[in-house]
C-alpha cells in the first residue's frame, strides 16, 4: 500500500487554503424532520448529499457521525460510503466520527475498516477512544502511519461525564487527559508542519491552561454553535495551541438546511469568524 502524504501536512494545507472549519454531518431524526425529510434511508441520503454538495468544495473538513448512518443498517452504511467518497472528491478532508476503541485484532479490524486505503469507508482520519489504555490504539496508529491517515484521540471531551475519567489523577500525579496528550506529543515528535495524531478537546471547557495542548498535532474542537461556544472563545480556551485547532460546527450549520445556499453562507460565515479569531490571537 502506497501511503498518501501524511494527514497532518494535508490538513495544514487545506486549513490554510479554506480556513480551519470542520462541519459535522449528523443526520439525526430531529434534523431530518426539520428539513422536511423522513427518518428513512432516502431521507438520510438526501440530507447527506445536500450537505456535501453545498459545502465540501469550500470547507476544510467534513465529519460524518457514523452512528446516524449505522442505525439504518447496511443501506445506511452504503450512504455513508458514498458520502465519504463524494466529500473527498470535492476536496474536503473527511474525519470519520466513530470513536472506536478496542484491543488487539479487534482494534486492527476497526482500523482496517476506516484507515486502509482500499476500504469502502476509507477516511482521512478517525476518532478513537484510548480508555482501554493508550497502547490499545497501536494497530490504528500503525495503519494510519502506513496509509497517510490520522487519528483524533478523545482527550478532554465536552460532555459533563467525561471529567470523572479524564481529570482523574494517576499515581504519577498526572491526570488521565494529560497522559493522553503526552502520548500524542510523542507520536508527533519531529513532524512538520503538523503531526497526524490529534486530540479531541471541547471548545466549551473554559480555562485549560493546566494542560499542555501544544502537542504538535491538530485539535478537533466540538462545541461551537449549538453547544454554546463561539469562535471568539477559542484563543482563551486553547492558548498557544489555537493555531492547530479545527473547530467543529454541526447543528449551527445544519439547521439552515435544506437550502444549499444558506448552508454555504453560514459555513463561510463561521469560517470567517474562526479565521478572524485565530488571527487576532
Amino acid at each position: 500500500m502506497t501511503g498518501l502524504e501524511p494527514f497532518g501536512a494535508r490538513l495544514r494545507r487545506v486549513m490554510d487554503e479554506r480556513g480551519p472549519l470542520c462541519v459535522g454531518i449528523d443526520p439525526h431524526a430531529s434534523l431530518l424532520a426539520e428539513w422536511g425529510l423522513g427518518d428513512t434511508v432516502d431521507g438520510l441520503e438526501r440530507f447527506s448529499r445536500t450537505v456535501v454538495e453545498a459545502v465540501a468544495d469550500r470547507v476544510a473538513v467534513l465529519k460524518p457521525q457514523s452512528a446516524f448512518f449505522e442505525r439504518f443498517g447496511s443501506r445506511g452504511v452504503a450512504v455513508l460510503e458514498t458520502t465519504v467518497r463524494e466529500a473527498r472528491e470535492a476536496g474536503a478532508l473527511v474525519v470519520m466520527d466513530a470513536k472506536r476503541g478496542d484491543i488487539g485484532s479487534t482494534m486492527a479490524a476497526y482500523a482496517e475498516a476506516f484507515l486502509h486505503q482500499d476500504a469502502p469507508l476509507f477516511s482521512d482520519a478517525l476518532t478513537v477512544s484510548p480508555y482501554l489504555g493508550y497502547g490499545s490504539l497501536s494497530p490504528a496508529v500503525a495503519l494510519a502511519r502506513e496509509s497517510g491517515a490520522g487519528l483524533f484521540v478523545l482527550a478532554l471531551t465536552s460532555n459533563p461525564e467525561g471529567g470523572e475519567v479524564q481529570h482523574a489523577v494517576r499515581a504519577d500525579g498526572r491526570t488521565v487527559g494529560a497522559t493522553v496528550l503526552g502520548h500524542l506529543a510523542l507520536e508527533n515528535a519531529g513532524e512538520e508542519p503538523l503531526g497526524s495524531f490529534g486530540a479531541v478537546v471541547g471548545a466549551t471547557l473554559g480555562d485549560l491552561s493546566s494542560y499542555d495542548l501544544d502537542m504538535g498535532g491538530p485539535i478537533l474542537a466540538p462545541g461551537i454553535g449549538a453547544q454554546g461556544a463561539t469562535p471568539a472563545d477559542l484563543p482563551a480556551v486553547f492558548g498557544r495551541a489555537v493555531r492547530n485547532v479545527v473547530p467543529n460546527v454541526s447543528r449551527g450549520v445544519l439547521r439552515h438546511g435544506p437550502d444549499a445556499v444558506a448552508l454555504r453562507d453560514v459555513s463561510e460565515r463561521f469560517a470567517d469568524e474562526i479565521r478572524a479569531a485565530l488571527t487576532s490571537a
Side-chain angles (χ1 to χ4, degrees), residues 64-66 69-70 73-85 88 94-98 100 109-126 149:
Q65 170 47 259
S66 180
F69 296 82
E70 292 178 45
S74 60
R75 292 179 65 199
V77 173
V79 174
L80 181 58
E81 292 175 5
T82 300
T83 300
V84 170
R85 184 183 68 252
R88 297 188 73 237
V94 171
V95 173
M96 181 62 69
D97 194 356
R100 295 300 194 250
Y110 280 136
E112 289 171 6
F114 297 105
L115 300 173
H116 194 287
Q117 283 182 317
D118 295 333
L121 285 169
F122 174 72
S123 303
D124 297 285
L126 172 68

Side-chain angles (χ1 to χ4, degrees), residues 183-198:
H183 283 297
L184 293 172
L186 292 175
E187 301 287 7
N188 293 318
E191 296 294 327
E192 295 291 343
L194 185 65
S196 297
F197 299 93

Side-chain angles (χ1 to χ4, degrees), residues 167-177 179 183:
H167 299 312
V169 179
R170 292 162 28 107
D172 63 3
R174 292 196 301 170
T175 66
V176 173
T179 300
H183 283 297

